[in-house]
Amino acid sequence: MSLQIRGSVISTERENGTSMMAEDVIIFRYPKEEVTSKSIIFVQPNETAVVVIQGQVQAVLPPGTHNVQSPQNPLSSFLSRFRYNALPFDTIVFYASTTRHEVRIVGVSQTQDLVPLTYEVAVYYRVTDPSKLVFNVQFGGNVFKDADLARYVSPMIDQEVSSIINYVKLYEIFKKLTDVTNAVSAGLKPFLTEIGVELISVRVIRLLPQDDELRRIIQLRDLGLDVEKAIRLYLAGSLTSKNDPASVNMALGIPYYPNLSTLVNLPDNLIRVNLRGNDQEQKQQ
């Protein structure tokens, strides 16, 4: 998807009025070959522009219109200081989003009793120092998105989540949600601050066993049933899905004695004959 340029205006807008700064884009790298000394850099209200020349940040431009050759523009000072008539070829403009963003990190850890748990953590943040962020992330293309940041911080989140639940048994895990949230926040906040990102909040969305059967039993237990009855009701539901007549007995906790004809593939008459024969032999004895 190429960016169309109207005159010498450098912006995140395309010709059709849409923006390169989609809701999941944190940084957009403008094609450097289009930046000239006669350019006008246009910054939207929810953006900040970082101009990097020869590997150094020469300007951080707030929302508005910025003429490169204007005396008030820090780039014009760069040009006059080095007596350049045009910006060098290695001039790059990065646009950073200043709105609130959200990423969700999903992973797997385990409890003290070795039960695998799937967790999902939502992280809310905003960019406060775009120049730091530009120099601390790697670009696979012209954009750096929420998903890229999620991959960047997921090892740290996995470490903080595991530092709590690895030492807790399964039946106590839901009492530790606050501890997990605090651990992730404490570990993530200084890390994000170093790259120019402010952590707004952290929320644990999901923390459940990987095994569907165990998860269902825990849900029944949390409804107020004891563990034995919760297991029985789960098994009753499984039997019902298979049209097994023993499902009602399983739910009630009553033994199920099926008709013998349902256990062996024999005619009913033959079964009755065998039963009568057994009765006669017992009388003779």
Side-chain angles (χ1 to χ4, degrees), residues 222-253:
D222 291 342
L223 290 176
L225 304 176
D226 58 71
V227 176
E228 180 182 352
K229 191 171 184 179
I231 295 174
R232 211 171 58 238
L233 288 178
Y234 170 76
L235 293 176
S238 299
L239 293 172
T240 302
S241 64
K242 299 177 182 179
N243 296 322
D244 194 315
S247 59
V248 177
N249 295 74
M250 179 62 71
L252 297 175

Side-chain angles (χ1 to χ4, degrees), residues 27 50 52 55-57 94 130-137 139:
I27 302 176
V50 179
V52 178
Q56 294 183 347
V57 175
F94 296 92
S131 58
K132 280 186 179 181
L133 185 60
V134 164
F135 279 98
N136 280 281
V137 298
F139 288 78

Side-chain angles (χ1 to χ4, degrees), residues 88-219:
F89 288 105
D90 57 352
T91 298
I92 308 174
V93 179
F94 296 92
Y95 284 92
S97 170
T98 57
T99 60
R100 191 196 75 160
H101 285 255
E102 174 191 353
V103 295
R104 295 196 177 190
I105 292 88
V106 179
V108 178
S109 186
Q110 63 182 15
T111 62
Q112 186 179 15
D113 39 7
L114 304 181
V115 178
L117 295 180
T118 299
Y119 66 83
E120 183 176 0
V121 177
V123 178
Y124 305 92
Y125 67 96
R126 69 166 60 91
V127 178
T128 54
D129 193 336
S131 58
K132 280 186 179 181
L133 185 60
V134 164
F135 279 98
N136 280 281
V137 298
Q138 294 180 341
F139 288 78
N142 286 332
V143 293
F144 185 80
K145 298 185 175 182
D146 288 333
D148 300 316
L149 185 65
R151 286 191 294 269
Y152 195 65
V153 301
S154 60
M156 175 168 290
I157 291 179
D158 183 75
Q159 177 181 345
E160 298 300 333
V161 171
S162 298
S163 68
I164 301 296
I165 67 176
N166 285 168
Y167 302 96
V168 179
K169 293 186 179 296
L170 178 62
Y171 70 90
E172 296 179 337
I173 196 66
F174 296 108
K175 300 177 183 178
K176 299 294 182 178
L177 290 180
T178 301
D179 294 342
V180 173
T181 301
N182 294 338
V184 173
S185 299
L188 200 58
K189 187 173 183 178
F191 178 76
L192 291 178
T193 302
E194 290 181 0
I195 62 174
V197 176
E198 176 193 3
L199 178 65
I200 299 175
S201 64
V202 172
R203 184 164 64 96
V204 179
I205 297 177
R206 182 174 53 169
L207 188 60
L208 293 172
Q210 270 192 311
D211 185 68
D212 292 337
E213 297 177 356
L214 182 57
R215 184 162 61 243
R216 182 59 178 164
I217 291 172
I218 291 176
Q219 290 172 343

